[in-house]
Amino acid sequence: MSSQPPAAKRRRQGDRGPLPSSADDASPVDVFGIDYSNVKVTVNGKATENDASNDDASNSTNAGKGRAPPATLTLKSGLSDILHGLGRDAFLESYFRRKAVHMTCENSDHQEQHAATRVSKLREAMFDLDVSTILQETSSDSIFLWLRKPNGQVGESEYENDSAAKFQNETIHSIEVADVDTAIALHKTAGHATYCRAPPAVEQCLVSNLLRDTGLGCGQYDPSGSSIVCLGRGEVETFISTPGHLTNWHYDFQENFTIQLSGTKRWTVQSGTIKDPIRGCTPHYASPEAVESQIKAAHLHDRKFKFGYPKVGINAIGDVATIDIKPGDAFYFPAGMWHKIETVEPGVSINVSLMASNYAAVACQALQHLLMTDPKWRAPIVHNNVNEDAIATLNGLLNELPDTIKKLQSNQNGAQAIIPPILQHAPRFAVSDDDDGSMAGNDGPNIEDCNDNNDDDDDDGSMANCDPNIEVSNHTNDHDDDSDGHIDDDNGSADDNQYVDPLTFDEYPESWKFDDDDDDDENIQIYRNPLATLTKCSELRSFYTEPRKIDENCFVLNVNFAGNEMHQSNVRVEFKVHSHGLASKLEQIEISHQHSQLSEQQPSAIPNGDANDTEFRRLKKFLLYHGYFLHSSHHNK
């Protein structure tokens, strides 16, 4: 974590700045001067014109009467609203994970209108920026306050020859306050700047929308925050600044979208030497215990990296750029970019921080799951002078490892086994009972969108209509549950609707291409995913409860769970079949796979079955989508 405070929910203590939006004459300002035709670019305060062509950028940012009307930022805003005028495709192709970009108002005379137009809805969702209410409704367990420097303290220039004193003057010292009233008093009466997470509804909607639009973590998101295997994660931080506050140089490991709701901040930024950092670097924060872990992480990429403020040749590259972020402005900056923030005018800003699992993590977790099926790899490490030599044993296992990986990749479509189709498409989020719609344009298969598509002019799409307790639909619950869970055991009965029915399942996204007719092609074969297991519900429940007829034809599918200590599954779904014959066929497939593992034989392909067997064909499609089956063809993306 970049600057991890004592509270577990806090991911860093560095101020991120504001993420406002744009008005009629808003245009992107590329901090490092990327070339776009017809885009006004400001580098260190100097406007330039560029010759390179980019149709997406030029069409969406052209100044003049043809410009699209300003996008109002609401809780359902995605990239098209936040980076209004730049265009989602241009942003993803040229900026995302590469460069910082600032959305501002070209004409300073229109700045007030710019702010009023762009962030009015977000301000409403943030309780009209009432500090007391913001702190009372935070997602955080506690609130952080940055301790204000004593009046009359000398400036940093007077510490040039005293590095220890200079460090104490420039670094942030903070306290964690659990009592809201105490935090409010310290902020309002003592003038301490304050940091906490945004209200749950604001955080969940903004994070889910931006994960979906950027594709980080394949757009996956667990609003409860309890999943340790979810591919995408994020949070929204609220910064309430006070006069003169300075957050000194540091960089973060998240992708960041900051929005200024009120006040003005001066951002100074510089590129770092670490691409896709796994930890931040926080010399601005008085946390000496974090130095070693941050240096270790940085040295994985850049052995010459040194802990400290940015310096070219040591831990930074390129020029320094300074920009003022004003109300209504939006600013994106990638992970690993050094930044320093000064409060020019006190106000409130929010920052959306996004992160995702990396390829190394998902591959290693899957490989661990696969190896755990082999008794030789499950054996404990033992080393003695009688009959156990740990080095010799490990060498033997490592010699076998390349063949295991090759088998997973070449014969069993390893990438699809690790990230099955259901995880390749952004989920949708459940709405509250009084919300009568879902966000248009999201074809995710998992859960309903936490947004309102009511076109009534009085409906501002704000978080007030969005359920703050978003829940993942039953059939995509990623977490194992040791309790009886969804089953109602009263009188031995169960609600048949609590199991997903593959015959009627219709939540496949349009972008997932699967044609049942492909099964007739002899060159296309179906295999069982070696990272998946099927368990009959009767096996799970019969020991503690009376047998129930419905459990005989119901199964729990778990995919890729042995790579983490909690054995949380990347995919978990409870489903039913309508015949004992089909239930027996699934059991036989599971048993056959176990036998092939024990004998180290190549798993056999799954029979296509009778072309007229509608239930089996639909079940096969359902299990392909959820990751139990793998397709020998790569056409089903």
Side-chain angles (χ1 to χ4, degrees), residues 115-144:
T117 302
R118 285 280 287 164
V119 296
S120 59
K121 302 302 181 184
L122 271 181
R123 283 173 172 170
E124 292 175 16
M126 293 293 293
F127 314 108
D128 293 321
L129 307 188
D130 180 74
V131 173
S132 298
T133 309
I134 290 174
L135 298 183
Q136 289 167 354
E137 299 298 327
T138 178
S139 302
S140 306
D141 292 331
S142 54
I143 298 164
F144 272 87

Side-chain angles (χ1 to χ4, degrees), residues 570-588:
N570 282 11
V571 177
R572 182 182 185 276
V573 56
E574 297 181 9
F575 67 95
K576 62 183 179 181
V577 296
H578 291 271
S579 69
H580 289 294
L582 196 51
S584 298
K585 183 180 291 188
L586 287 177
E587 285 186 279
Q588 187 58 44

